Amino acid sequence: MLSRRRLLILAAAAAALIVGGNLPVQAKRTPPPTVAPVTVEGVEYRVAYERFSEGERPAGLRAYLLATKPGTYTELWKTRLYEVRYQGNLETDVQDDYVKSLSRELPGLLALTEEKQAYVVNLASRAVKPLPPGNGLFNLLEEGRDPGPGKRFTDARGVQRDCRLHQIALKEDAVGIVFGLVSFPPDVFRAMVEKFPNAATVNYGGCIPGPSPWAVVRYCPRCREAQEAWLKERNGARP
């Protein structure tokens, strides 16, 4: 738990953001989880929250990733993780969704929320990406069988670094894993091989589900563009 003095310093530096675990508790829910900061290459990362209003009515809660100098609480930058917008027919406090875990993973930082949502932050670009549902991992967390920080993503990048079709370098992305036996109609398989071989919008993980629902892959941006164009021609039928 942060001291009062440090909270005041952080509040001034973060323009009234409230650090996770110290948000004032409302009557109908338990306190927000206390999430330990994560230090990567001399930068300390922590979760912060901000409630916002529209007119005079509470409208929602925003969660941020805050980068600071360790021990000084001097803000370097912040980026929004997600936003919760309140529904008018429900109590606002019970709609709040807080981060319960922040960890260093292969693609960057992974934030897991109470409502089983997951967001990965690329620390180089500061881009935030919502991940597809990872109920398998959340179930392991609840059962005390967490694979542990640094093991929540499968490394599926392989050795290929360039798209042979488009002659450009591959980029990296975090995607969901599809488990089970997967087969494609001949025309779909042909398009995947000939038109967008490195789209990598999902990763196929085999028949036996693993502990990680997500993978880090290398992909070709032009292959993804070709896949989207092909999908539009087929009225959105995704391979």
Side-chain angles (χ1 to χ4, degrees), residues 171-216:
K171 297 184 177 182
E172 293 188 6
D173 191 16
V175 300
I177 300 177
V178 175
F179 294 104
L181 181 62
V182 180
S183 61
F184 303 100
D187 61 327
V188 174
F189 183 77
R190 187 180 309 111
M192 294 171 65
V193 172
E194 297 177 355
K195 297 180 182 294
F196 39 89
N198 295 301
T201 50
V202 299
N203 176 254
Y204 298 102
C207 294
I208 301 176
S212 171
W214 308 296
V216 180

Side-chain angles (χ1 to χ4, degrees), residues 16-38:
L17 292 177
I18 306 172
V19 175
N22 295 277
L23 198 64
V25 182
Q26 299 187 30
K28 295 186 179 180
R29 63 154 293 143
T30 58
T34 299
V35 179
V38 176

Side-chain angles (χ1 to χ4, degrees), residues 5-158:
R5 179 176 177 275
R6 288 188 171 183
L7 271 177
L8 292 173
I9 293 172
L10 184 61
L17 292 177
I18 306 172
V19 175
N22 295 277
L23 198 64
V25 182
Q26 299 187 30
K28 295 186 179 180
R29 63 154 293 143
T30 58
T34 299
V35 179
V38 176
T39 301
V40 180
E41 297 180 354
V43 178
E44 193 169 77
Y45 299 93
R46 63 181 68 246
V47 180
Y49 303 100
E50 176 186 54
R51 287 201 175 92
F52 64 97
S53 301
E54 293 177 350
E56 298 182 355
R57 297 177 61 85
L61 177 79
R62 295 187 180 112
Y64 294 88
L65 180 70
L66 194 67
T68 66
K69 292 182 179 180
T72 67
Y73 293 87
T74 301
E75 182 183 319
L76 301 174
W77 56 268
K78 69 175 180 285
T79 188
R80 187 192 299 182
L81 292 172
Y82 59 89
E83 177 179 288
V84 176
R85 295 195 68 85
Y86 296 145
Q87 302 298 314
N89 58 339
L90 297 172
E91 294 292 335
T92 59
D93 54 347
V94 298
Q95 298 181 61
D96 290 335
D97 183 21
Y98 297 111
V99 173
K100 63 184 295 184
S101 171
L102 183 68
S103 62
R104 179 74 170 101
E105 306 294 338
L106 180 61
L109 286 180
L110 174 67
L112 304 177
T113 79
E114 296 172 310
E115 295 299 322
K116 298 186 177 182
Q117 302 297 312
Y119 303 87
V120 63
V121 183
N122 183 313
L123 297 182
S125 66
R126 306 177 189 175
V128 178
K129 178 178 181 177
L131 293 174
N135 289 337
L137 176 60
F138 283 100
N139 291 340
L140 291 178
L141 293 175
E142 292 172 357
E143 296 168 4
R145 297 190 292 122
D146 181 6
K151 299 179 182 179
R152 293 166 176 166
F153 284 79
T154 297
D155 188 349
R157 292 175 295 179

